Amino acid sequence: MKLYCLSGHPTLPCNVLKFKSTTIMLDCGLDTTAALYFLPLPLVHSPRLSKLPGWVSKDGAVNLEKELKECSGRVFVDSQPEFCLPEKELLDLSTIDVILISNYHCMMALPYITEHTGFTGTVYATEPTLQIGRLLMEELVTFMERVPKAQAATCWKNKEIQRLLPGPLKDAVDVWSWRKCYSVQEVNSALSKVQLVGYSQKELFGAVQVTPLSSGYSLGSSNWIIQSHYEKVSYVSGSSLLTTHPQPMEQSSLKNSDVLILTGLTQIPTANPDGMLGEFCSNLAMTIRAGGNVLVPCYSSGVIYDLLECLYQFMDSANLGSTPFYFISPVANSSLEFSQIFAEWLCQNKQSKVYLPEPPFPHAELIQTNKLKHYPSIHGDFSSEFRQPCVVFTGHPSLRFGDVVHFMELWGKSSLNTIIFTEPDFSYLDALAPYQPLAMKCVYCPIDTRLNFHQVSKLLKDIQPLHVVCPEPYTQPPPAQPHRSDLMLELQPPPMAYRRCSVLGLPFRRRYERIHLLPELARSLVPSEIKAGVSVATVSAVLQSKDNKHVLQPVPKPAPVPPSKKRKRVTEEPPEVLNPKPLLSGAVPLEPFLAMLHKNGITEVKVEETADGHILHLQTEDVLIQLEEDATHIICDNNEPLRKPGSELLRG
Amino acid sequence: MDSDCLSLLPAVCLVLADPKQSPPDDTSLEKLLDWFKELHSQSDGQVLLQHQPCLLEFISSVCMSKTTDPAILSFTLKLTGLLAATTQELHLFDEGGLLVYVFEREAWGVCDLWEDASVRSGWLQGLLNMLKHQQALGFMCGNGLIKVILQLQNDRSLFVACLANQLLVHILNFLTSSNMTNGSDVVGSSESSLRPDWVAASSEIMNAVVEALSSEDHPQVLQGLRLLSLVLSKCGEPIISTLWKDVLVPLEVLVNRGSESLIQTLITVLEAALGTPLLSQSEYKVEELLEAMLGDGNRKECFHCAALIVKLEKCPEVLKRKATDIILLPLQCVSTQPQAEKEINVVLKEQLSQKASCISLLMQSLSSLAQLAHTKYLFEDISIHSITSSVLLLLRMCSGHCPTSLLHSNAFTHLIGCCKVQRCGLDTLGALSVYEEILDLRKDIFGVLLDYLQSPDSHATVLKKTFQAVKRWIVCSPFPDLLQFISHDLFPVLEKRMCDLRWEVRDSTLEFITQLTTALNGNSGFTEALHISGMVSVLLSSLADAEGYVRASAVAAVGEAVTASSHQMVLVSNSKLLDEALVQMMAILSQDTEGFPRRAVVQAFTSWLKGSHLITALELSLSSVLSLGGSDFDWEVKMHTLELAEVLMEKTLTCCPYAVQNFGSSEETRFTQALIKFKNFGLFDLLFNSLFDCDRPVCEKACALLVKLRTLTAETADLDNSLLVLNVCGNRWGDEVQRRYLNKQQAKASVSVTNGVTGSDEGTDCGLHSTKDISLPKILQILDLDDMQRMLTLSSDHVVNSPRSLMEDILSAAQHSEENIVDCY
């Protein structure tokens, strides 16, 4: 069993598991942090951005004026932002049988995998994952296509040139594998391959059974169990134990796993979501009270639901009830509405509201009372209804594309305004780099509800997997806090760490396989009891293996021979019932075996202990006997007279 | 009233002795005993038993009855003891041999009743009640009761055991007190002067203590130690030294054994010993024992012991130093860099590696340090500088900052986010502010405190402690950059905390601002910073908080902020702020649905008025505050309004800031003018309305204020009454005054008629016939304020709570139960 790691990003995983002749891709995350190297795509013409000087090397030898622009001491690529895809060269993607998706954030690279690679398999995901994932993909495509760029910059990627560029562009890795965003057609085609599954529903293909379990992180998010009759692999992706809107995490089914692949832990282990939420609210209130606006760059689904719910209660208590909230995204309306209809995927508290009947999320009420307004973009109705001071939720959190770019240009100059970062995916300093100098206040309150190290070590103590596989960063303290040994996984045995392009052989011994006996063969068995309750029978059959299923079939009868009386008589005789010959099975107990050798005149035996068993050296005879748990070898240099008695003794 | 009760006594005794009646509840019986106690103390030599023979009958019938209830028997035992507390009464009891009968449990009708803990407790309490004279002691010794008491000392009921200990101490004390010794011997005399049977009694008790301490039975040892500490703290010489000599050996054994469960009790014993003359005599080894308890700091329990020793008030210096060194070990060990590491013992290391013991050790260490700081203890071997640095480092570790090299990484992981240690550490840091030597660490200290204030993960209770510590450090000694720190570092954090999601945090932030403003009152720079930074307007917006408690704290903070600026130029430019504050506060007083903010508004006005600076803008609102506050639904708002009225009266009558100051005008005129001012403020309406309020404390307060006014008016001879006429129509108090006025008139008229005098000349002085308007002095006369005050001082349940009603209750309950029985047939 092997694990191919196509992404090194701990929270945007893409791994391939080869298990029992099936090839399963676990998640398909797209690392969008590469976009931070690019200039923002302004929705409205920005004189500031258009006037940025091009980059020329100091000696004038390299001139990339058209591709690279300088902005407050940093160099950005002036082209449509690109993303870093999962590794495509490590294995043939067309061999993938199935892709399991855990949550909508971890499927953004799907079109790159399913299209143009010869992929013919199926994608499994829950309904909310599919629908919200579709929204996020469509939003991404819209953000890009709204602001088309004439040409793509590629010269800078030339190794010789990149070497000469200033940091951090100089240090960007795998730049040739970066790709532009996909198209709507590709999204549609990729998503048409998705087959919907529900929690605890079992899907069988080949000999492997896969089961999605609620992971508590987002609407429809799941962990997966992949198991055969005798092996169990658990795949834990973004999971949460906090009581937010999704159904709580199902933990007990993860018990007794042979291997647990652990990804998607919190990206900011030192930030407690509750504290951050408090920080978010107090900074928001402070800004509004002082007459400023608040900009919240966020994804259009996920934490935003919790933020709106929290603000719904907070704004009245902080006496800010009249401040309008704007949610601007091409998919804002669908996101708000979808959240209300996936009742069965919500936590119990919200589910029960549906029976009252009431909308599960309070943002419905905010919309009704006109406190929350949503628009597809800043163009159109929004510009006429826009009122300040206000709170704007909009994407993209990288600040490189989407409506947020406009608000950065609009509000960045006033120190009354505040930008509050709540998404943990991007470094806020890097995100803000092309907007410097910035007067606007910046607050970083990353809200990451995924498991933290404390929770995960408790979880692992409960479910006790035999082996844990995880991304490399989880096996050491964060680089910025090398003493925080509490912020890493400390397990016994130590977890197996992977990085991008690792291929791990999972420590799995396939010990047993289930084999079916055909009824006619079973009927022919003659069991004889060797001790009370245990009977054995010899069987002669043909083993047929197909699609991971093994069947013992009767030995095909020899071609019919013309019947003769004599033969017929013979076949009609009842078969002779013989006691089975002693068969070799199990390990050879050392002490009795030595005693036996002694009894048979072999006295000079040197015993040596090995990792798997023992080596016996019969010195006079110059014979080696290797005793292992599942094999015994007698090495006697073709000394046939000695070998036979030896094996007889073993049978002893 | 007592004679009334005494007449009911025989009937009550019959009911109580009647086994068919279910006994009254314990409280009634206790109240009855209280009444007897009071009666006894007032009897002045009159013997209750002689006048009330029913009591003796009651006692003997209860003891003889075969169906007595344990509660009644217990009551009877206590009562007997009470009644036998004088020699005369004891003789009365003794005449019939009743006393022996009562306290001899084998003689009771039902012996099994001894099994009931309440009976055993009653028995002990009875003896304790009786032990007021020599004969009582003689009775106990003569009848072998000491032995029973000693047995009860190990009773399974803790109450009984404790009472037995008390009784034993009382006996020992009694043996040595002056009235017990023969002849003229005084306290301190040797045992030889005692009667031989009493010597035997005292040695019996002391032997029992020695025996208990040498016992293998843990509870028995504990009881022995408890008795010993009681003896040490309650008895005098020679008992103490005699007993100590005997117990010293077993005590040493116990101390050296170092059993954890005995530490607390052992320390109590030694603490008691410290307070006695034993300490000064080395052969008694008190100090030695305490030192042995500490050991070398390498036993698990030595930290607990050290923490207790640090707390001792009278503790020898050497010992305290040793205990201090030990108790600081965990703190130093966790927060010391390896190179400075002393050899740290294995026990401590092990304790620190486990979460629960690590936290409790550090908390003991920190709280002992705080304790020492309270007394400004002088550390010797270790500098206060390094101790403070350790506390700072510990606090940093609690919030996840790890020092570059660490001794106990295990301890570090236990500490991250541990609220208990954080709170304790912050308390200690605050307490350390008394040491001037560490003022140079102030930058680090404020750095840590600011980190705590800023951290999004700080728990509400931790923030509160942080605020307290910040305040202590700011107040302890103002430093040059104080204002810079406050306006640049502190205020922005406070502003954010005032928008916190948790109301507790908003509340404690506002409280902190109030305290800071009060503490820095007079610091013009601070006041200026408060206004310039916009803090005041932030405070004003908190007046509209959703949580009542927060609004109340905001009112207090705004109140302080406004007063602070009263003598500043700042106020002139910010008069708008004051106006806005007044408008909002009046809105709270008139409209807020919760009591706390309304109370706070009235209190703010009171403190404004108390302040030394005159704020004219406030004067305009005063009458509204008095009328709104006086008619509030909440009695506490009314009380606060009366306090406001009191301050107004005091201020006006002493310096008259509100009266028109006519130079040269007489004292009387000024007083009249003040009264007119009061009238215009509506003060009299408030006082009279409150006098007839439904809440007793309100009436009491109003009455007291009116009495004060009455005294003043009476002292002022030429008061111009015509200027102080009040309208008594159309309100409740007016009606009451009119009713009393008419009653008095009628009474006078009838007196005049009987005397044959016409009352025509009576009303000439101030228009008595007109009942619509009455002058203030007259009203104060008409109202019988003294009588009202007397009635008001009695508690509201004084009628229901009387012994008479208690007895009636007992009787009627018995009657009812009889009726019920009849009903059954």
Side-chain angles (χ1 to χ4, degrees):
Chain A
M1 184 169 9
K2 280 195 167 163
L3 188 72
Y4 297 79
C5 309
L6 312 188
S7 153
H9 198 298
T11 35
L12 296 167
C14 184
N15 296 317
V16 174
L17 178 71
K18 283 207 174 187
F19 180 42
K20 296 239 165 195
S21 327
T22 55
T23 309
I24 307 168
M25 179 177 268
L26 305 170
D27 278 331
C28 204
L30 179 66
D31 185 354
T32 49
T33 48
L36 294 173
Y37 296 102
F38 292 77
L39 264 195
L41 294 181
L43 216 59
V44 179
H45 174 74
S46 158
R48 186 183 72 90
L49 289 174
S50 58
K51 279 183 203 153
L52 291 176
W55 182 82
V56 183
S57 66
K58 272 179 192 163
D59 54 1
V62 187
N63 186 336
L64 288 176
E65 272 182 322
K66 288 200 173 153
E67 288 201 352
L68 304 177
K69 303 281 179 198
E70 271 195 277
C71 176
S72 30
R74 272 220 209 187
V75 174
F76 295 93
V77 183
D78 187 13
S79 174
Q80 203 189 74
E82 296 178 355
F83 309 126
C84 176
L85 310 195
E87 186 57 47
K88 282 176 153 184
E89 309 300 324
L90 200 60
L91 85 167
D92 181 2
L93 296 179
S94 67
T95 61
I96 290 170
D97 297 306
V98 69
I99 303 180
L100 307 180
I101 302 292
S102 346
N103 60 67
Y104 46 77
H105 286 300
C106 289
M107 63 186 287
M108 298 299 280
L110 202 57
Y112 296 115
I113 304 291
T114 60
E115 310 307 302
H116 321 300
T117 57
F119 172 79
T120 53
T122 319
V123 182
Y124 287 106
T126 61
E127 193 182 358
T129 303
L130 170 66
Q131 299 302 354
I132 297 174
R134 179 190 293 278
L135 291 183
L136 293 181
M137 287 182 183
E138 285 173 0
E139 186 188 48
L140 195 63
V141 174
T142 315
F143 282 159
M144 295 296 175
E145 291 181 353
R146 267 194 325 201
V147 196
K149 281 263 175 185
Q151 88 284 5
T154 51
C155 294
W156 71 273
K157 291 185 183 176
N158 191 313
K159 256 190 186 161
E160 291 308 308
I161 296 178
Q162 198 198 350
R163 209 162 44 83
L164 303 170
L165 299 180
L169 214 49
K170 183 174 68 174
D171 309 313
V173 286
D174 297 327
V175 289
W176 283 105
S177 69
W178 292 7
R179 288 288 175 274
K180 282 203 300 184
C181 188
Y182 32 71
S183 67
V184 177
Q185 291 75 23
E186 286 167 324
V187 170
N188 288 336
S189 168
L191 296 183
S192 68
K193 298 178 173 90
V194 175
Q195 192 179 325
L196 296 181
V197 287
Y199 288 147
S200 305
Q201 189 181 333
K202 284 160 193 178
E203 285 292 319
L204 283 159
F205 68 100
V208 182
Q209 186 180 313
V210 293
T211 314
L213 304 171
S214 169
S215 78
Y217 169 56
S218 61
L219 274 176
S221 67
S222 31
N223 293 321
W224 293 86
I225 302 230
I226 303 147
Q227 60 188 335
S228 67
H229 293 300
Y230 297 105
E231 294 99 358
K232 180 172 174 182
V233 178
S234 298
Y235 173 56
V236 172
S237 186
S239 304
S240 175
L241 291 171
L242 302 180
T243 32
T244 54
H245 59 272
Q247 237 186 60
M249 179 183 179
E250 154 75 35
Q251 299 177 49
S252 57
S253 308
L254 297 170
K255 278 184 184 162
N256 306 320
S257 310
D258 297 291
V259 172
L260 182 120
I261 303 169
L262 180 68
T263 65
L265 301 186
T266 176
Q267 298 190 68
I268 320 283
T270 47
N272 162 27
D274 279 336
M276 287 299 142
L277 200 60
E279 198 73 358
F280 172 79
C281 288
S282 44
N283 280 296
L284 185 140
M286 254 183 17
T287 308
I288 301 287
R289 278 189 187 176
N293 300 294
V294 177
L295 178 61
V296 188
C298 61
Y299 292 116
S300 46
S301 180
V303 175
I304 186 173
Y305 304 138
D306 298 321
L307 289 180
L308 288 174
E309 181 158 2
C310 178
L311 287 177
Y312 167 76
Q313 291 158 357
F314 175 70
M315 293 304 271
D316 278 333
S317 74
N319 204 27
L320 299 169
S322 58
T323 313
F325 300 162
Y326 300 113
F327 178 19
I328 302 167
S329 157
V331 298
N333 186 30
S334 322
S335 165
L336 292 174
E337 285 182 358
F338 270 139
S339 65
Q340 305 283 21
I341 59 168
F342 290 127
E344 56 178 301
W345 304 91
L346 293 172
C347 61
Q348 199 54 46
N349 190 10
K350 292 218 178 314
Q351 271 190 36
S352 52
K353 279 197 171 180
V354 181
Y355 299 105
L356 290 177
E358 266 177 29
F361 285 96
H363 56 238
E365 202 187 315
L366 286 174
I367 295 171
Q368 257 177 13
T369 52
N370 263 337
K371 285 180 180 164
L372 171 64
K373 293 182 181 184
H374 53 85
Y375 303 91
S377 96
I378 53 165
H379 299 302
D381 290 346
F382 172 70
S383 45
S384 55
E385 289 173 29
F386 175 51
R387 184 158 66 79
Q388 303 190 67
C390 62
V391 184
V392 170
F393 296 89
T394 188
H396 184 271
S398 65
L399 305 190
R400 290 302 178 271
F401 42 87
D403 302 85
V404 72
V405 177
H406 175 71
F407 287 99
M408 286 305 294
E409 296 286 328
L410 186 71
W411 288 343
K413 291 169 215 88
S414 164
S415 62
L416 279 181
N417 303 325
T418 306
I419 177 168
I420 309 182
F421 290 89
T422 55
E423 300 290 353
D425 288 356
F426 301 91
S427 142
Y428 78 105
L429 291 174
D430 289 341
L432 290 171
Y435 299 96
Q436 299 302 338
L438 195 70
M440 184 181 204
K441 280 197 286 281
C442 301
V443 178
Y444 184 55
C445 313
I447 299 175
D448 196 333
T449 57
R450 284 172 279 210
L451 296 177
N452 61 30
F453 286 97
H454 180 68
Q455 290 165 331
V456 92
S457 47
K458 220 168 165 188
L459 176 75
L460 291 177
K461 228 176 249 173
D462 275 358
I463 60 175
Q464 300 210 320
L466 287 182
H467 299 280
V468 174
V469 179
C470 67
E472 199 175 34
Y474 295 167
T475 57
Q476 54 217 21
Q481 288 145 307
H483 292 286
R484 292 292 297 263
S485 58
D486 57 321
L487 302 183
M488 60 180 276
L489 285 179
E490 274 184 302
L491 300 173
Q492 223 32 265
M496 299 177 69
Y498 71 79
R499 53 171 81 172
R500 192 177 164 103
C501 294
S502 297
V503 180
L504 303 182
L506 297 185
F508 230 90
R509 263 207 178 153
R510 286 172 63 176
R511 292 170 150 266
Y512 299 104
E513 199 62 76
R514 182 171 291 187
I515 296 175
H516 292 270
L517 273 175
L518 284 187
E520 54 264 45
L521 186 69
R523 229 176 289 135
S524 72
L525 293 184
V526 186
S528 60
E529 197 168 44
I530 53 165
K531 62 179 177 185
V534 180
S535 299
V536 292
T538 51
V539 59
S540 304
V542 171
L543 176 69
Q544 192 203 47
S545 288
K546 189 184 170 191
D547 282 349
N548 278 318
K549 283 178 185 152
H550 312 286
V551 181
L552 278 179
Q553 296 173 333
V555 181
K557 286 179 183 152
V561 184
S564 74
K565 272 188 175 177
K566 198 179 174 187
R567 262 191 195 279
K568 203 179 174 187
R569 201 163 50 88
V570 174
T571 48
E572 278 172 358
E573 273 174 11
E576 196 185 350
V577 180
L578 293 171
N579 270 334
K581 274 187 181 175
L583 293 172
L584 292 176
S585 87
V588 179
L590 183 66
E591 289 303 321
F593 181 56
L594 287 176
M596 186 80 79
L597 286 174
H598 194 79
K599 214 166 137 191
N600 285 275
I602 303 169
T603 48
E604 277 184 66
V605 183
K606 201 175 147 198
V607 182
E608 190 184 320
E609 204 162 319
T610 65
D612 299 321
H614 294 88
I615 297 178
L616 274 55
H617 187 198
L618 318 186
Q619 286 172 330
T620 332
E621 293 78 8
D622 194 22
V623 169
L624 279 181
I625 302 177
Q626 285 180 340
L627 298 177
E628 285 170 16
E629 196 183 350
D630 49 4
T632 305
H633 299 281
I634 304 173
I635 302 161
C636 54
D637 198 18
N638 280 336
N639 188 346
E640 199 56 23
L642 209 68
R643 195 187 67 81
K644 266 201 167 170
S647 34
E648 286 305 317
L649 279 177
L650 274 171
R651 255 171 244 237
Chain B
M1 195 175 291
D2 281 344
S3 60
D4 281 357
C5 297
L6 288 175
S7 65
L8 290 175
L9 195 56
V12 172
C13 283
L14 277 180
V15 169
L16 291 179
D18 186 354
K20 283 183 219 132
Q21 301 285 349
S22 57
D25 60 283
D26 286 352
T27 339
S28 304
L29 290 176
E30 280 304 319
K31 281 182 185 166
L32 205 57
L33 269 179
D34 286 343
W35 175 67
F36 273 115
K37 217 177 269 175
E38 204 179 328
L39 207 62
H40 201 260
S41 65
Q42 293 167 355
S43 63
D44 295 336
Q46 280 194 332
V47 180
L48 193 61
L49 281 177
Q50 272 174 343
H51 300 285
Q52 296 292 331
C54 63
L55 285 172
L56 279 176
E57 282 163 31
F58 164 71
I59 292 169
S60 66
S61 79
V62 167
C63 291
M64 270 184 283
S65 166
K66 297 225 180 284
T67 47
T68 298
D69 186 274
I72 296 291
L73 181 58
S74 173
F75 166 78
T76 312
L77 290 165
K78 292 177 199 167
L79 178 65
T80 311
L82 205 61
L83 294 176
T86 62
T87 23
Q88 210 177 352
E89 284 168 317
L90 190 88
H91 283 304
L92 273 178
F93 268 115
D94 248 358
E95 276 168 18
L98 188 56
L99 202 58
V100 183
Y101 198 69
V102 172
F103 286 101
E104 187 58 67
R105 64 180 203 259
E106 265 86 41
W108 294 345
V110 207
C111 292
D112 291 351
L113 280 179
W114 185 253
E115 293 307 311
D116 194 297
S118 70
V119 172
R120 298 198 297 279
S121 155
W123 186 84
L124 288 166
Q125 189 64 53
L127 290 179
L128 201 57
N129 288 346
M130 183 165 58
L131 196 59
K132 298 271 167 27
H133 45 82
Q134 292 188 22
Q135 280 77 3
L137 190 61
F139 168 74
M140 286 183 212
C141 298
N143 291 290
L145 300 189
I146 303 278
K147 201 172 193 165
V148 185
I149 302 170
L150 282 170
Q151 278 165 5
L152 287 179
Q153 199 212 353
N154 292 310
D155 199 88
R156 59 181 180 277
S157 156
L158 278 181
F159 293 103
V160 174
C162 179
L163 203 56
N165 271 347
Q166 274 182 40
L167 183 56
L168 288 171
V169 171
H170 201 62
I171 292 169
L172 285 178
N173 229 358
F174 208 75
L175 283 169
T176 45
S177 65
S178 56
N179 56 349
M180 290 300 295
T181 46
N182 291 336
S184 59
D185 282 349
V186 284
V187 185
S189 63
S190 67
E191 277 181 44
S192 57
S193 55
L194 292 175
R195 271 169 44 178
D197 54 339
W198 293 346
V199 174
S202 77
S203 52
E204 189 179 359
I205 296 173
M206 292 199 236
N207 287 341
V209 178
V210 179
E211 203 176 302
L213 293 196
S214 332
S215 158
E216 289 298 316
D217 181 34
H218 183 73
Q220 207 179 331
V221 179
L222 264 182
Q223 283 304 337
L225 287 172
R226 281 187 193 134
L227 179 56
L228 179 59
S229 58
L230 262 181
V231 171
L232 290 170
S233 53
K234 297 270 168 65
C235 296
E237 289 291 15
I239 293 286
I240 291 184
S241 40
T242 320
L243 180 58
W244 189 259
K245 270 181 221 152
D246 294 345
V247 296
L248 194 55
V249 175
L251 204 56
E252 272 177 315
V253 173
L254 287 175
V255 165
N256 291 326
R257 201 187 294 158
S259 155
E260 182 137 33
S261 53
L262 288 179
I263 288 184
Q264 184 83 46
T265 332
L266 276 171
I267 287 279
T268 320
V269 169
L270 294 173
E271 186 179 7
L274 285 176
T276 64
L278 296 175
L279 180 64
S280 52
Q281 284 157 292
S282 60
E283 75 262 31
Y284 293 133
K285 297 184 178 173
V286 177
E287 218 175 313
E288 216 170 289
L289 282 173
L290 274 167
E291 212 167 327
M293 297 267 312
L294 282 178
D296 298 327
N298 52 10
R299 278 199 321 213
K300 221 166 97 188
E301 49 291 333
C302 71
F303 299 104
H304 182 194
C305 187
L308 290 170
I309 289 179
V310 166
K311 279 192 200 124
L312 295 182
E313 277 178 17
K314 298 175 195 160
C315 179
E317 196 53 32
V318 183
L319 196 63
K320 195 156 192 168
R321 293 229 173 273
K322 190 170 179 192
T324 308
D325 286 349
I326 291 176
I327 200 60
L328 289 180
L329 273 180
L331 174 67
Q332 289 171 300
C333 180
V334 167
S335 56
T336 317
Q337 309 291 310
Q339 61 266 28
E341 179 189 5
K342 287 181 191 171
E343 197 158 317
I344 286 161
N345 61 56
V346 190
V347 181
L348 183 57
K349 253 184 192 164
E350 192 200 311
Q351 297 250 301
L352 288 176
S353 64
Q354 287 158 5
K355 186 166 183 174
S357 57
C358 171
I359 289 171
S360 93
L361 267 183
L362 284 171
M363 284 177 59
Q364 273 181 353
S365 204
L366 287 168
S367 54
S368 301
L369 181 54
Q371 196 102 29
L372 291 165
H374 285 309
T375 56
K376 219 176 166 188
Y377 182 78
L378 291 174
F379 295 90
E380 260 178 9
D381 299 338
I382 175 168
S383 74
I384 186 69
H385 221 273
S386 95
I387 295 175
T388 314
S389 302
S390 292
V391 176
L392 285 176
L393 192 61
L394 186 68
L395 283 171
R396 282 208 189 97
M397 284 158 77
C398 287
S399 49
H401 299 281
C402 184
T404 44
S405 50
L406 195 65
L407 217 54
H408 286 279
S409 57
N410 260 344
F412 172 55
T413 36
H414 301 327
L415 288 174
I416 298 172
C418 175
C419 287
K420 280 184 187 170
V421 177
Q422 286 177 336
R423 282 193 294 257
C424 211
L426 288 164
D427 266 344
T428 311
L429 188 61
L432 288 171
S433 63
V434 293
Y435 293 99
E436 283 120 27
E437 303 94 297
I438 47 171
L439 284 182
D440 56 322
L441 281 177
R442 200 159 34 195
K443 203 173 162 212
D444 290 344
I445 292 167
F446 279 120
V448 168
L449 292 174
L450 263 184
D451 275 352
Y452 269 81
L453 290 181
Q454 271 161 345
S455 163
D457 295 331
S458 291
H459 192 267
T461 52
V462 171
L463 281 172
K464 190 160 179 123
K465 294 277 181 199
T466 316
F467 282 133
Q468 286 168 358
V470 172
K471 196 199 124 196
R472 292 190 73 162
W473 274 99
I474 285 184
V475 172
C476 74
S477 70
F479 50 99
D481 297 338
L482 176 70
L483 293 174
Q484 172 84 3
F485 166 75
I486 288 179
S487 51
H488 281 82
D489 301 318
L490 194 57
F491 279 169
V493 186
L494 296 183
E495 210 178 310
K496 198 175 83 185
R497 287 296 175 199
M498 274 194 274
C499 298
D500 203 280
L501 262 182
R502 298 158 290 181
W503 71 262
E504 295 92 333
V505 174
R506 302 199 296 272
D507 193 51
S508 42
T509 312
L510 288 162
E511 271 176 10
F512 169 69
I513 295 172
T514 314
Q515 288 166 359
L516 200 62
T517 319
T518 319
L520 295 177
N521 196 5
N523 183 327
S524 56
F526 175 75
T527 320
E528 212 175 303
L530 197 65
H531 283 82
I532 289 170
S533 65
M535 259 328 245
V536 179
S537 51
V538 178
L539 291 179
L540 282 176
S541 59
S542 291
L543 288 176
D545 198 280
E547 182 66 46
Y549 299 114
V550 181
R551 288 196 300 277
S553 300
V555 168
V558 169
E560 273 305 317
V562 170
T563 336
S565 62
S566 63
H567 57 300
Q568 301 298 323
M569 286 304 287
V570 190
L571 183 66
V572 183
S573 58
N574 284 304
S575 62
K576 245 184 167 177
L577 273 180
L578 178 63
D579 289 344
E580 204 187 327
L582 278 175
V583 169
Q584 288 203 41
M585 283 166 102
M586 291 311 290
I588 288 178
L589 184 60
S590 57
Q591 288 156 24
D592 205 300
T593 49
E594 282 177 62
F596 292 101
R598 301 201 303 271
R599 287 176 212 167
V601 170
V602 182
Q603 278 172 307
F605 270 87
T606 312
S607 75
W608 279 337
L609 211 54
K610 267 187 194 163
S612 51
H613 305 285
L614 170 67
I615 306 169
T616 35
L618 300 179
E619 195 184 335
L620 302 170
S621 313
L622 261 182
S623 65
S624 317
V625 175
L626 291 179
S627 83
L628 284 169
S631 53
D632 203 280
F633 291 116
D634 184 300
W635 73 269
E636 285 193 53
V637 175
K638 290 187 275 194
M639 279 303 274
H640 289 310
T641 313
L642 287 171
E643 275 158 25
L644 175 66
E646 189 175 15
V647 175
L648 180 66
M649 279 165 62
E650 272 170 18
K651 275 259 166 181
T652 316
L653 295 172
T654 49
C655 66
C656 281
Y658 297 104
V660 186
Q661 296 279 335
N662 289 330
F663 290 101
S665 64
S666 69
E667 195 67 26
E668 284 74 23
T669 342
R670 260 193 271 160
F671 181 60
T672 319
Q673 277 171 343
L675 290 182
I676 291 168
K677 205 81 188 170
F678 290 159
K679 189 184 154 192
N680 295 340
F681 276 138
L683 183 95
F684 299 127
D685 278 322
L686 168 75
L687 293 181
F688 288 125
N689 268 328
S690 306
L691 187 64
F692 297 104
D693 198 90
C694 49
D695 290 305
R696 195 175 56 88
V698 176
C699 309
E700 214 177 333
K701 179 88 192 166
C703 192
L705 291 179
L706 284 170
V707 168
K708 210 185 259 178
L709 257 186
R710 191 189 59 187
T711 322
L712 286 170
T713 46
E715 282 168 0
T716 317
D718 59 342
L719 207 57
D720 189 353
N721 283 349
S722 63
L723 291 171
L724 286 167
V725 170
L726 302 180
N727 187 332
V728 290
C729 279
N731 49 27
R732 209 185 136 214
W733 69 267
D735 294 346
E736 184 64 30
V737 169
Q738 276 195 30
R739 194 180 59 76
R740 292 190 186 208
Y741 172 75
L742 286 175
N743 282 351
K744 280 203 175 169
Q745 283 233 319
Q746 276 170 3
K748 263 186 192 160
S750 60
V751 170
S752 330
V753 169
T754 47
N755 292 350
V757 186
T758 54
S760 56
D761 58 332
E762 283 286 318
T764 47
D765 54 342
C766 53
L768 266 183
H769 291 296
S770 153
T771 52
K772 200 177 154 199
D773 298 311
I774 309 181
S775 77
L776 175 73
K778 196 75 209 166
I779 296 174
L780 293 174
Q781 264 177 30
I782 291 168
L783 294 170
D784 194 350
L785 290 174
D786 295 324
D787 189 51
M788 285 177 98
Q789 202 168 25
R790 193 183 56 78
M791 287 305 288
L792 287 167
T793 47
L794 294 171
S795 70
S796 52
D797 61 349
H798 69 275
V799 180
V800 193
N801 226 358
S802 65
R804 187 185 168 82
S805 80
L806 178 69
M807 291 184 168
E808 280 167 351
D809 279 352
I810 293 173
L811 290 176
S812 76
Q815 218 164 13
H816 277 300
S817 72
E818 265 169 27
E819 277 168 16
N820 289 344
I821 293 165
V822 174
D823 281 348
C824 292
Y825 296 98

